[in-house]
Every structure is written in C-alpha cells, then in structure tokens.
C-alpha cells in the first residue's frame, strides 16, 4: 500500500525533521515495514524558470543546439538536445549541483546530478528539463514549456500550479498489515504518527448526517453482514474528478473513473472503508436485501466478467437482482456513468471470512476484499458516509440528500477491556519504559484508560487485533523502540539438557560415511509421481497423496528412497566414473498410521557405491564386500554387535537376487545391501556395476552402545587351519557357524583366508585360534579342540580333504 | 706365542674387512675361529707351558677371540647396510601419481550449517527436538493460534493431503509436539525440512529448511530474546552483528518481530541484495503467544517464553554464494562434493 506523507499531514501536524529514508526506517521500526521511500517533486525546489534568449547550432553535432539563456541573474550558454528549444520560451533549468531523482533505463530509481560537462567539445553548465526529469511525468517529449508570464529565476516549487506536489510516498508491505485493519487508510497511519511523535490527531472530517428513511427498504438475511449503512443522493453531476482528487488516487496507484467512483475510492484510501455507489435509475426496485446467493445465480461484475455464484456467497440484491458481490465487487448493471443523476451509496461491514472465501472462490482480489478480510471496524461506516457527503457537496454543489442516512447495525462488537499493569508491561519487555510514556502512548492510540491499568480497546483495534495484555506490551514496545531495550542474558537455572541420542548417532554415522568412507551426502525431495512409481514397479495404492501438488511427478510421499538414489547414480555417472553417495532422509510408510492421518516416517540412510570401472583387480566382488564391511561397521558404531546375514527376502525389482543380503536381528531388518539388478540398471542407463544400501536408522537408534572391556589374555593363542570342500553355493558363514559350535568357548576367532573355486565345487580355508582364559592350553586339549571342530564340520555334511588320521 | 696370536688376529681382520660377501665371510670365520682354526691350535698347546705362561697366553687368546668376534659383527652389519643402501638407491616413486586415491566425502552444506547451529545452541543448553513432515492441521496451525481464515492457510501456501493432513509449512509445528513431551523450563531447538507450494526456480523451492528455537521459563522478557539472538548471530557469523527488531505479525507470537541484520554483503551501506536498505530480513521471532503455551499444556500465567525461526537455505546460500537454490536438492555430486 502506498502512503502519502502530505495526506497524513492533513490529520496531524507533523513537521518533517529528518530525511525521508530515515522517516521510512522509523515507520518500519514502529509500525509496519516500509519497502520503498519515494520522494515526489523534490526536483521542483532545485529548478528555476529561465528564458531562452537565442539558439545557435552546435559546431560538432547536428542534433544539439547552443542555447543562450537568462537565468534571472546572468546570461549563460548551455548545450541542449531538445528539438523544441527555441528563442523566447520559458523553461525549467537545473543548475550545477542539482540532484534530480529520475527513473533510469531499467525503470529503477536513480539520481541525476548536474555537473559541468563537455558535450561534443563544448562546455555546458546546467540542463534544461523535461517533465520526466522533474518527476512530473513518466515520459516526455522535449523540454517543458511554461507560462511566459513566469519571471526568470523563479523556483518552481513557489509556483501556484505545483503546490502540494512535493511529497514523500511510503510503500508499505501489505503483509505487515495483516493484523491491522485500522492501517489500511491514511487516517490510521496519522494516528500512528500521533503516537510516534506525541502529536494531536485531528477528528476525522465530515458533514453531520441524520438517520432517516431514504425510501429503500432494507433487510439483512445473512449472518455475515454486521452493518449496512447507506446514503441516497440526487442531482449529482458525474464528470471527471478535479486534479487534486486524481492526484491522490494516482499516487496510490488507483485508476480514476469519475468523480463519484473516485470519491468512494478516496475514502477507501483515507479511512480504509470500502464503499460502493449504485445508479438508482438502473436498479430494478427499491427493496434491498443482503442475502446469500442461490447456487448457480449469475452475476456480471464491474470487471465485465460473468460469475456463477454459490449459496456461500453473499450478495446485495436490489429489486430481486444481485447488484454486488458483498465486500468484493459491484455489479455492472447499476454502475455509475456520465448519465447518472441519483445514486445510492453503500457503506457496509461484512465479516472477514465470508468476504475472503468469496474472493478466493471466484479469484477476484479487490482493494475492497483485501480490506474486509482484515476484519474492519463497523463503527467506520457513518464516518465514511459523513465524509463522502461533505466531498460530494464540494464537487457537485447541486447535490441533495434524499432522506438521511440509512443504517442497519445488527452485530456490533462487544466493548472490550484489558486488565494489565505497568509492571507486567515493563517486565515483559525487560525494560523500564516509564509510566508516563505508557499512559501517553496508549492515550494517543485511542485507548480508554482507567486506573492502574484497565484499558478500553478502541473500536478500530477491537475487531481481532488487540485482545490480551501481551498485545499492549507490543504497542508500548514498538513505540518505545525494541532497539532501545538493553539485551539481557537468560537467567535460567543450571540444568544439563537432555541429549538427543538419535541426533548424535545420525551425525556420527554421517561423519563416518563421509569423512571415513568417502561418501558424499545428497538431498532428495520427499515426493514422487506415477511415472516414477511405475518405472520402479511400485504401487501408488495407499500412499499419502497431495491434493495440490506442484506437479504430477510430486504427487505422493515417497514410499522408498531407492528410486531417487538410482536416479542420482544415473545422473552422476554422466560426470564421474565412480560414485559414492548417500541420502539421510525419511520414507513415508502408510502401513502403520499414526494419529490416524499420518504415515510412519522412517529415517533411512540410503546410498550407492559405484567403483571405478578401470582397475587391475577384481573390483566388482571387492566392492560388495567393501560395502558389507562399511555397513557392518555402522551397525557396530550404533552399538549393535550381533546380527544375522540372510538372503534378501521379498526383494523389490531393483535388487540382484544372487548378489544381495540383509542384516537382520530376528525379523527386524537393520540394513540391506545389494547389487543393482542389471535390468533396472539398463533401464536407467547405468552401465557400471552399482552397489546400493539401505540402513534402517530408527532400528539403529533404538540400540544403546555398550562397551565391555575384557582383560587382555596372558595365555598364548594357538592357530589352527583347515580347508573344507563345499558345494559352489554353500555359505562360508554356515561353515564358520559349525566351527564356532565345535570350538566352543576356547575358540577365539575364525576367519576365511582363501576360497578356491573349482569346476564342480569349491574349497574354503579357515584360520582359527584357540585359547583359554585361565591357563596355557596343553597339547591334549588342543588336539581335542581340533577334533571337535572337525567333527562339527563333518556333521554338517561337508568334506575335509587330506584330513590327518589323528583328527578323524 | 702371544706374537702368533696377534698375527692371527691381524691376518683375520685384514681378510674379513676385505670381504664383501656374507657367505664368504662365514667361511673365513670358520677357517679362523672354528675347531680346526689356528687359535684352537695354540690353545691346544697350552698344557706344555708353565702356570704363569698358561694364564698369560690364555687371557691373550680369549681377548683375541672377542676382538675377532667384534670385527666379524661389524663387517657383517656393514655388508647388510651396503646391500640395503644399494637397494634404496634404486627405489623411487612418482609422487605425482594417484594410484590408490581414497577421497573423503562431504556432508551436505545444509547439514553442515544445521549442525553448526545445533552445536551453538546445545552449548547454550538447548535440546534438539524432532517432528513429522506430514502433520496434523492442529500442530501446524490451530495450536499455533492460526485461526481458520488466516492467509497462511491458503491453498497456494500449504500442501494438503487427500485425507486432510498437511505437510508442515514451518518448523514451528515442532513447538507444540515438544511441549507435549517435556515440561518447562526448557530450551529447545527444532531443525528440519518444511514445505510450501512454490514453483521451483532459482530462488524458490517447495522444500526448504528451517530451524525453530523456543525458550520457556518464568519471567522471560523481550530483553532476553534480543540477547539470545545477538549471541547466536555473533556465533554464526563469527563477529558482532548489528541487529534491529521491527514489529512483525505472526499469530503464534505476541509481540512479534522481524529481526533484521546489517547486510553482510555491503556492510549496511546499501546494495542490490538488501534493496539499498542496508538491512537483511533474517529471523521472525517473538514472545510465545499464551494460547500456544496453553495448546502445549503449559500454565501461561506462570510461564512465558520466546521463539524464533531461522531459514537455513538462505544462510547456506549467503555463506557459499550459491546462485541457485535448486542445487540443494539436485543430488548432483558436482555440487555436493565441493563442501569437504
């Protein structure tokens, strides 16, 4: 919203004693955010009228002239490029040092400073100005030719015709006024000035009106209309508005239409109260009803669009026809035009939510609807009518009232009072503001003050804005200046805060993955669409589905993050020959809903390892085992020391069935790793072998890391190697299990040290160590342990080639 | 005889020191010091001597034996060292190659920023709280004193699910969830992703990151809020930061503020980033509205508090001069791997 300082000054004797930008900042700090400060007409005080005495061609340039001018005190020759520059005319002249605010080529505000300059070899001191250069018009052809009766040397700001043009316009961020219905007009801001600078606020002007029947019968048949006031005026002469009125509207960015419509808009800008005028001759009757529309009722609005209304919309129906969509826009059929003579002026108060819904439903946002949806003060309607009647009389001296003001006030806001105290205000701010200051400012803002401290809320703040003592704290704080409050450290008691263990684990695992194993963290969106689901063989059934997605491919909350990882791998392989990445993110599991409507959000680490394809060694097999050990280490760090490895159960289509496994604890899957299925790889244009993982972080976070120290053994460990012959797909882990069983407590460790694949089967060699905790193992004991291990392996139906006789 | 011994030692020393081969060295040792060696021969003849001579020659022979042993050891070490030196002289690597490079990875720049701020706050006694992305209207709006007709609820801002749930539009949704779990006094921090209906472009994302903070105790004042904010910002930017508080409207705080910082690009002189104002809008904050405390089951007569929100993406972009917000969720390693 644009605010004119001149306009505000009509209601409060504020004298500008600081820079325009500084005042703008002060408004930002005290009331609402000023986005831009524009100084209008500042050029006028720096520019004087001069006479062009003679013109001569520029020796170096055809388009330029050398003009000799009379500045009122001297004669001077300057260079001028305007084609209308000729002897005898009176034009504005900016002397050296003048700073003219202009709009640059990109439309941005800039300052044009007049300096001594050589133009094509000729020195020029000063500039003859166009209307655009004076800020009086957006663009101009040639220099401004002024009345020749103006004496040379006269500053333009002293001329009658330019009175009132010098102004400062503040562009206020509308969002910062969301909660302030009273600030949607200049009078409200004048009240703020009165509080900011401790100045008297003038009463809102207007002509006294009597309540009297004006011939229209009124019925309010809708709960969302609080008040409906009206004024019937005849003998108006509709014409263009006078200049001052046009200027006011133009400054605020509102188009001028005709004097009557312009006056309603003038009051909208001055008091913040929307109004509407009907041409009585065009109405179908004199019975006015505020009612809900019928479903499908058609309405042609002033914007010349046809709207199909619903019963949730509220209309002003006159003579049975909807003539206005309440609070939003007037109807086309009763619009004021040059022929209008008798008019009905509506000034009503509608409920915010109703207007808001109507405006949203039909996609019409008007200056009226955006004000009503802030909950306007219904006490304003008689004020607005009194003011418009005053101005109509000024503009149309023949105008007469028919009857008096019609006023149906069905729902006033109950008067409200806040009980608070000086102590509460100062303690909340953490600052001594002083009783006098508080009293003064509350008084200026219009509060009724009683005792220490009962506050009657003024009607313009009583519609929703102010209701509790904290609201008063804000009023005092902002006017005192939050910046003037001395910061004070918290004085909370010493208490060691609870530590979020899951967050610590998350960070630890990320640290290990990134800074230990070299994986880089990426982030992906939480959404997916039908195409993605279909491409990866997933169903959309039961997924969390958005009503208003940004696009079709972001419609559902993703049930798995693997498609995102596979896509990231595919994309990154365009630029890298190896990839190590992960995402720490949530998937949205709708199989277990929380609080009925919410999915279980499960944290996961998902990621991929694509080893370099060029290499001497068998990197492919190595990569799987490298990933396996990485994941095992993550589990260990989380405090999980034992798990079972199993085949990947119920594998999705992206899992290679033979090169995959799950880390489980019983039924719980802790993590899974797998080679990307070649078919899915091919579909996603991934030519390298990719290994993927998923760690179910929530399961890890449940575990507590417990470290248990065992005394370092003083007794030597005895090694023992054995080679087992097994079918090709036998799991070494199974044989290790047998060895552990056979070795019992004395088995310290066992590991595979070689696998030799043969045509029909394979041999697997194990190395293990035996030791006792309390003594050195003697020969017989060792022999017995070896026999036990052998027996366990043989019992598992594996063969041991070259088994020495004494172990059989 | 003693002369003979000295002669043997001299001869041995000369031969040993002239030898360069370990095996040949062993042969020399065997020849001189073995059972058939000259020294043994001399010792065998001892019995023909007087006791005095016996003792004299015996001592000399032992001394000689030790001396020869030492000569032998020195020479052996010398040869081994010479062999190693010869090998080392031939060993060389091209250190400019990267045969087995093991690069470290990087945490996402948003994670890094988030953790940094978490650390500052946890050191001030805050605890980190979490909440769901898919949220109930209650936690995101109603409990935060955002009435049904508030503009923030507009369809163009909020993602709605078909079942009536929503995607949280701000981390403030974590406030009431946290209050249900913990009792005052408390200081909490709620970082996370939030979602608004925005078309993706260089400066708009539908998914972005916020960090919510909340302090609830007895007698918390605006002066406390300003102090905490200043402390925090000085830590984040590693220098004293000029701030200003403007009135700002957020239904869940009263009074509510917009906190601006001195523009870090132009140092407050005015530039295109701060739209010539010298200030950057950084943090909405305010004193917790009593209705919000009540929604969280807290006695609003006894307790007060303040809350603030911080947009992480903007901070990250400012810190690294990232030109396009779309990089953050792109999954592109050319972007993410730069933040090692």
């Amino acid at each position: 919203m644009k605010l004119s300082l001149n306009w505000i000054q009509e209601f409060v004797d504020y004298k500008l004693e600081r820079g325009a930008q500084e005042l703008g900042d002060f408004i930002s700090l005290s009331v609402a955010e000023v986005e831009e400060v524009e100084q209008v007409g500042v050029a006028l005080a720096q520019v004087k009228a001069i006479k062009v005495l003679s013109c001569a061609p520029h020796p170096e340039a055809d388009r330029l002239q050398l003009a000799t001018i009379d500045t009122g005190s001297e004669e001077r020759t300057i260079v001028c490029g305007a084609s209308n520059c000729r002897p005898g005319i009176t034009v504005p002249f900016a002397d050296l040092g003048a700073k003219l605010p202009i709009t640059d080529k990109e439309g941005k505000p800039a300052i044009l400073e007049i300096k001594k300059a050589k133009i094509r070899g000729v020195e020029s001191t000063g500039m003859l100005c166009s209307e655009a250069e004076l800020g009086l018009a957006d663009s101009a052809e040639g220099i401004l030719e002024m009345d020749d009766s103006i004496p040379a040397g006269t500053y333009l700001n002293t001329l009658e015709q330019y009175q009132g043009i010098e102004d400062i316009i503040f562009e206020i961020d509308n969002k910062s006024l969301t909660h302030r219905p009273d600030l949607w007009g200049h009078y409200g801001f004048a009240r703020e000035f009165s509080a900011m600078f401790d100045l008297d606020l003038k009463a809102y002007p207007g002509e006294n009106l009597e309540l009297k029947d004006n011939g229209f019968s009124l019925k309010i048949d809708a709960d969302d209309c609080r008040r409906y006031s009206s004024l019937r005026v005849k003998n108006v002469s509709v014409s263009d508005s006078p200049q001052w009125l046009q200027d006011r509207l133009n400054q605020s960015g509102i188009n001028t239409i005709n004097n009557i419509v312009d006056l309603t808009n003038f009051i909208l800008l001055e008091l913040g109260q929307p109004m509407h005028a009907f041409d009585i001759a065009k109405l179908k009757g004199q019975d006015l009803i505020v009612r809900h529309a019928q479903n499908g009722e058609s309405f042609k609005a002033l914007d010349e669009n046809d709207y199909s209304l619903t019963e949730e919309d509220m209309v002003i129906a006159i003579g049975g026809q909807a003539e206005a969509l309440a609070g939003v826009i007037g109807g086309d059929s009763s619009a004021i035009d040059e022929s209008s003579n008798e008019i009905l002026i509506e000034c009503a108060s509608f409920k915010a939510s109703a207007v808001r819904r109507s405006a949203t439903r039909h996609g019409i946002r008007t200056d009226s609807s955006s004000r009503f949806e802030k909950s306007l003060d219904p006490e304003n309607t008689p004020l607005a009518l009194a003011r418009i009647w005053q101005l109509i009389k000024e503009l149309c001296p023949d105008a007469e009232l028919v009857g008096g003001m019609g006023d149906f006030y069905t729902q006033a806001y109950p008067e409200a009072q806040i009980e608070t105290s000086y102590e509460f205000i100062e303690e909340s701010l953490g600052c001594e503001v002083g009783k006098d200051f508080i009293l003064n400012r509350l008084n200026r803002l219009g509060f009724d003050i009683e005792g220490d401290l009962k506050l009657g809320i003024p009607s313009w703040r009583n519609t929703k804005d102010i209701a509790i003592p904290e609201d008063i704290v804000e009023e005092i704080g902002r006017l005192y200046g939050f910046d003037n409050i001395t910061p004070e450290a918290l004085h909370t008691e010493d208490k060691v805060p609870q530590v979020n263990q899951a967050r610590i684990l998350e960070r630890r695992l990320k640290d290990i993955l990134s800074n230990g194993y070299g994986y880089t963290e990426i982030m992906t969106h939480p959404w997916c669409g039908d195409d993605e689901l279909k491409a990866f063989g997933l169903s959309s059934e039961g997924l969390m589905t958005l009503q208003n997605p940004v696009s079709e491919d972001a419609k559902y909350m993703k049930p798995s993050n693997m498609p995102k990882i596979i896509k990231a791998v595919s994309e990154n392989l365009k630029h890298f020959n190896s990839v190590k990445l992960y995402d720490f993110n949530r998937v949205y599991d709708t199989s277990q809903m929380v609080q009925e409507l919410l999915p279980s959000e499960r944290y996961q680490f998902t990621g991929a390892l694509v080893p370099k394809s060029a290499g001497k060694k068998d990197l492919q097999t190595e990569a799987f085992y490298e990933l396996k050990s990485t994941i095992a280490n993550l589990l260990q760090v989380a405090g999980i020391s034992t798990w079972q490895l199993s085949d990947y159960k119920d594998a999705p289509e992206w899992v290679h069935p033979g090169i995959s496994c799950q880390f489980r604890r019983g039924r719980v899957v802790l993590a899974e790793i797998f080679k990307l299925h070649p078919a899915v790889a091919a579909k996603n244009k991934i030519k390298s072998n990719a290994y993927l993982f998923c760690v179910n972080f929530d399961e890890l976070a449940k575990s507590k890391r417990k470290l248990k120290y065992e005394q370092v053994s003083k007794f030597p460990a005895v090694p023992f190697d054995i080679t087992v012959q097994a079918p090709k797909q036998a799991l070494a882990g199974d044989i290790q299990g047998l060895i552990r069983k056979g070795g019992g407590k004395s088995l310290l460790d066992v590991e595979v040290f070689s696998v030799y694949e043969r045509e029909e089967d394979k041999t697997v060699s194990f190395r293990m160590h035996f030791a006792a905790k309390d003594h050195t193992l003697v020969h017989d004991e060792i022999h017995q342990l070896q026999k036990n291990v052998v027996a366990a392996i043989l019992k598992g139906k594996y063969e041991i080639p070259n088994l020495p006789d004494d172990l059989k | 005889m003693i002369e003979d011994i000295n002669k043997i030692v001299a001869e041995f020393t000369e031969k040993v020191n002239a030898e360069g081969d370990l095996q040949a060295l062993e042969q020399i040792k065997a020849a001189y010091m073995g059972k058939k060696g000259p020294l043994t021969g001399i010792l065998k003849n001892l019995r023909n001597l007087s006791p005095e001579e016996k003792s004299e020659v015996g001592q000399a022979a032992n001394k000689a034996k030790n001396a020869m042993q030492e000569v032998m050891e020195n020479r052996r070490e010398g040869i081994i060292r010479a062999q190693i030196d010869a090998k080392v002289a031939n060993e060389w690597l091209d250190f400019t190659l990267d045969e087995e490079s093991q690069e470290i990875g990087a945490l996402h720049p948003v994670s890094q920023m988030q953790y940094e701020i978490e650390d500052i706050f946890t050191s001030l006694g805050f605890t980190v709280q979490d909440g769901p992305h898919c949220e109930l209207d209650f936690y995101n709006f109603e409990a935060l004193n955002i009435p049904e007709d508030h503009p923030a609820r507009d369809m163009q801002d909020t993602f709605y699910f078909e079942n009536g749930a929503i995607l949280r539009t701000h981390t403030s949704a974590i406030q009431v969830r946290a209050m249900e779990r913990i009792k005052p006094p408390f200081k909490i921090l709620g970082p996370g992703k939030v979602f608004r209906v925005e078309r993706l472009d260089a400066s708009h994302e539908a998914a972005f990151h916020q960090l919510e903070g909340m302090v609830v105790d007895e007698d918390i004042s605006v002066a406390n809020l300003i102090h905490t904010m200043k402390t925090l910002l000085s830590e984040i930017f590693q220098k004293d930061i000029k701030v200003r508080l403007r009135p700002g409207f957020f239904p869940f705080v009263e009074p509510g503020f917009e906190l601006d910082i001195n523009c870090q690009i132009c140092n407050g002189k005015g530039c295109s980033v701060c739209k010539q104002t010298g200030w950057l809008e950084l943090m909405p904050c305010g004193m917790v509205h009593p209705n919000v405390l009540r929604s969280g089951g807290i006695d609003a007569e006894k307790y007060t508090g303040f809350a603030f929100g911080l947009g992480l993406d903007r901070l990250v972009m400012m810190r690294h001069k990232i030109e396009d917000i779309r990089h953050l969720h792109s999954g592109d390693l050319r972007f993410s791997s730069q933040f090692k």
Side-chain angles (χ1 to χ4, degrees), chain B residues 208-211 282-284 309-316:
Chain B
F208 49 104
H209 302 83
Q210 282 185 346
L211 194 144
L282 190 71
M283 261 201 298
L310 192 58
L312 289 179
D313 310 68
R314 178 109 166 272
L315 279 180
V316 170

Side-chain angles (χ1 to χ4, degrees), chain A residues 356 498 506 514 547 601 603, chain B residues 105 115 127 130 134 154 160:
Chain A
R356 181 177 174 72
Q498 256 188 341
E506 165 196 326
S514 287
Q547 282 180 36
E601 297 184 8
Y603 274 113
Chain B
Y115 296 153
T127 56
D130 203 354
C134 302
D154 269 8
Y160 286 92

